[in-house]
Amino acid sequence: MLAQDKLIDAETLFEKGEHLLGVLPYEYKIMKGTIKFRLKKRDECMELFKNAYIDVSNSNLSESDKLYLKYYMYSVLIIYKKFLHADLDGVEEVTNSSVSLKEVSSCWKRRFPCRDHPDWDKYGV
């Protein structure tokens, strides 16, 4: 539904399914945070991304995948910091130059595209 830009439907579906999952996996938090961002629900997006950022840091993902997902979230959170002076406690800066796109799993590039990465045309999906 997110890919089809049916944001309200996607948000509703995510919220209905939350009780089934118990502890939310970082992928879920990132996807839901993306929906909240696109719906301009800043506080909810920030909370989800900040929590997912910590989860990704503590995950057993490869370092390339971790950096990529952190960059994806950071690129949204920095907008809030820059224009709304939001507190990004616990979120370190991640630049696109620190992400080796060639080494990132294609599943993450498909789910969370970072088309602004300078190597996207070469190594993106």
Side-chain angles (χ1 to χ4, degrees):
M1 287 186 214
L2 176 59
Q4 298 171 354
D5 214 29
K6 296 180 180 179
L7 300 174
I8 301 295
D9 293 338
E11 179 185 40
T12 301
L13 184 61
F14 267 81
E15 289 174 358
K16 284 182 179 178
E18 274 184 31
H19 71 281
L20 299 173
L21 295 175
V23 175
L24 301 179
Y26 55 83
E27 304 98 313
Y28 183 96
K29 292 176 186 175
I30 298 169
M31 186 68 68
K32 187 175 178 186
T34 301
I35 292 165
K36 298 294 186 179
F37 174 72
R38 292 185 53 198
L39 289 171
K40 298 179 174 62
K41 295 184 177 184
R42 178 182 65 94
D43 292 337
E44 293 174 71
C45 171
M46 285 185 59
E47 181 181 342
L48 286 159
F49 274 7
K50 286 168 106 177
N51 288 330
Y53 193 96
I54 293 166
D55 293 348
V56 167
S57 296
N58 296 326
S59 74
N60 60 359
L61 290 170
S62 72
E63 286 305 310
S64 296
D65 288 349
K66 284 181 185 183
L67 275 173
Y68 182 80
L69 292 174
K70 288 178 178 182
Y71 174 70
Y72 178 85
M73 292 180 281
Y74 183 78
S75 64
V76 170
L77 291 172
I78 194 65
I79 294 168
Y80 294 142
K81 180 177 182 177
K82 194 176 204 178
F83 296 105
L84 303 172
H85 308 289
D87 177 21
L88 298 187
D89 239 6
V91 177
E92 298 173 14
E93 179 179 3
V94 182
T95 62
N96 60 15
S97 62
S98 67
V99 176
S100 175
L101 198 59
K102 182 179 181 180
E103 297 174 18
V104 175
S105 301
S106 59
C107 67
W108 300 125
K109 292 185 277 191
R110 274 193 303 276
R111 289 182 198 157
F112 308 111
C114 293
R115 292 183 179 91
D116 65 331
H117 191 285
D119 293 333
W120 187 260
D121 289 339
K122 190 173 184 179
Y123 298 115
V125 290

